[in-house]
Amino acid sequence: MPKIQVEVSARHCHLSQKDADTLFGKNYKFKVMKMVSQPGQFATVEDLVIKGSKSEFKIRIVGPLRQDTQIELAATDCYRLGIKSVIKVSGNVKGTPGAILIGPKGKITLNQGVIVAQRHLHVSPSEAKALKVNNGQVVSMKVKGSRGLIFNNVIVRSGPGHKKSFQIDTDEGNACGWVTGMTADLIK
Amino acid sequence: MPKIQVEVSARHCHLSQKDADTLFGKNYKFKVMKMVSQPGQFATVEDLVIKGSKSEFKIRIVGPLRQDTQIELAATDCYRLGIKSVIKVSGNVKGTPGAILIGPKGKITLNQGVIVAQRHLHVSPSEAKALKVNNGQVVSMKVKGSRGLIFNNVIVRSGPGHKKSFQIDTDEGNACGWVTGMTADLIK
């Protein structure tokens, strides 16, 4: 069973050009804090405030800009904010709950865009071939330890711009006792 | 495979007589808000504040009083408070992190007592017999749905005062997409 790095994706936000303009000013250049596992993507130095019906807190931005603004939260975050948690594959924001975003230059009220990401396995096309999996396939991933478990319903996401990484959110990371360097076995 | 109710145990606190006396006054009588699944146990109307190095928030008390004060948090709660998360079977508080508890009549600084509970299956002796499991046995529990998964390392806890219930914390509940009435399959 191939071992794959488990990565915990903490709450973060992807912005569209239009929303970035409103929140940070026209054509603002975000500063790279660090590159993240998926090629070309980076966490920015700047952050935002997300506000729901119950509370608000800071959220990290992941660049570069995208077609649509999308906020990825853990269900715990949704509960704390007072936003319904809806599990979706990243990119699929249609009909999802909204939120208020507050930046240094402005504020926007989103009608949709908040998702709890469906757990997924990123792989490049060559990695997909080596692992004998296809884009969209559903697999399972097994982690060991005192909170060992088998995650079912893991969606394979393959294509240019993807690199091998099994991604879960902070709730899932806590549920499986995630530690730095943890790997999981791919089970088909 | 026998189906068993999945119960999410949100953060809560069990108090010793001594600590209850300090926090609420000598021999204070707690008011029952509601009975919980395990026989004789109840959530109280009163709550407490728990404080770590980073923040503080309210926490529910579960009665009756016990030998030792024990605070059961999710790892997410630990992170938010600034308390190390240590996974332990309930009752095993030796060497665990402490916290500050603040009640209406006083404040205590605990040197130990904060645990993240190891997921467990409560069963009465007759239920254990029917399910063919023993106290201390390690089993697995499978839940279905969009976040379906198999929890391994589930400890069976059986004896008088236990009643059939598969108990997980809020992180685990979120990780498996818990909804009211969810059941799990016991896998040995």
Side-chain angles (χ1 to χ4, degrees), chain A residues 30-36 38 40-44 61-64:
Chain A
F30 289 92
K31 293 172 207 70
V32 176
M33 187 179 72
K34 63 169 185 181
M35 301 308 288
V36 298
Q38 296 309 296
Q41 296 195 34
F42 54 89
T44 69
I61 301 163
V62 171

Side-chain angles (χ1 to χ4, degrees), chain A residues 15 33 35 40 46 90 152 160 166-167 179:
Chain A
L15 292 176
M33 187 179 72
M35 301 308 288
E46 299 81 358
S90 175
N152 294 326
F166 170 44
Q167 299 209 337
V179 288

Side-chain angles (χ1 to χ4, degrees), chain A residues 14-48:
Chain A
H14 302 283
L15 292 176
S16 68
Q17 181 69 60
K18 181 169 166 283
D19 290 341
D21 286 351
T22 308
L23 294 163
F24 288 90
K26 188 93 183 148
N27 294 320
Y28 179 82
K29 293 283 170 228
F30 289 92
K31 293 172 207 70
V32 176
M33 187 179 72
K34 63 169 185 181
M35 301 308 288
V36 298
S37 73
Q38 296 309 296
Q41 296 195 34
F42 54 89
T44 69
V45 172
E46 299 81 358
D47 54 24
L48 275 178

Side-chain angles (χ1 to χ4, degrees), chain B residues 62-115:
Chain B
V62 171
L65 300 177
R66 290 197 180 183
Q67 185 65 28
D68 295 305
T69 291
Q70 175 175 291
I71 299 138
E72 298 180 39
L73 302 178
T76 300
D77 299 323
C78 291
Y79 181 80
R80 210 174 133 199
L81 288 168
I83 296 174
K84 186 172 154 60
S85 76
V86 176
I87 293 153
K88 291 278 184 187
V89 173
S90 176
N92 184 9
V93 295
K94 205 179 159 187
T96 55
I100 294 168
L101 295 182
I102 305 165
K105 292 289 170 68
K107 180 172 155 177
I108 50 175
T109 301
L110 295 171
N111 293 320
Q112 63 178 31
V114 178
I115 69 164

Side-chain angles (χ1 to χ4, degrees), chain B residues 21 33 35 37 40 53-54 59 65 76 85-86 143 150 155 158 163 167 175 181 185:
Chain B
D21 285 351
M33 187 179 71
M35 301 309 287
S37 72
S53 61
K54 281 168 59 183
I59 187 167
L65 300 177
T76 300
S85 76
V86 176
V143 300
I150 299 170
I155 310 291
S158 181
K163 192 181 154 190
Q167 297 209 337
D185 292 324

Side-chain angles (χ1 to χ4, degrees), chain A residues 8 10-11 57-58 60 76-77 80 170-171 173-174 178, chain B residues 11 50-57 73-86 97 114-116 171:
Chain A
V8 173
R11 59 184 187 231
F57 48 64
K58 282 187 184 173
R60 181 67 52 204
T76 300
D77 299 323
R80 212 174 132 197
T170 45
D171 288 336
N174 289 332
W178 185 86
Chain B
R11 59 186 187 232
I50 178 168
K51 187 174 173 161
S53 61
K54 281 168 59 183
S55 69
E56 62 181 52
F57 47 64
L73 302 178
T76 300
D77 299 323
C78 291
Y79 181 80
R80 210 174 133 199
L81 288 168
I83 296 174
K84 186 172 154 60
S85 76
V86 176
V114 178
I115 69 164
V116 175
D171 289 336

Side-chain angles (χ1 to χ4, degrees), chain B residues 3-60:
Chain B
K3 288 201 181 300
I4 293 165
Q5 199 83 15
V6 184
E7 201 176 357
V8 173
S9 184
R11 59 186 187 232
H12 64 276
C13 177
H14 302 282
L15 293 176
S16 67
Q17 181 70 61
K18 183 169 165 284
D19 290 341
D21 285 351
T22 307
L23 294 163
F24 288 89
K26 188 91 181 148
N27 294 320
Y28 180 81
K29 294 282 170 229
F30 289 92
K31 292 172 207 68
V32 175
M33 187 179 71
K34 63 168 183 182
M35 301 309 287
V36 297
S37 72
Q38 296 308 296
Q41 297 194 33
F42 53 90
T44 69
V45 172
E46 299 81 358
D47 54 25
L48 275 177
V49 169
I50 178 168
K51 187 174 173 161
S53 61
K54 281 168 59 183
S55 69
E56 62 181 52
F57 47 64
K58 283 188 184 172
I59 187 167
R60 182 66 51 205

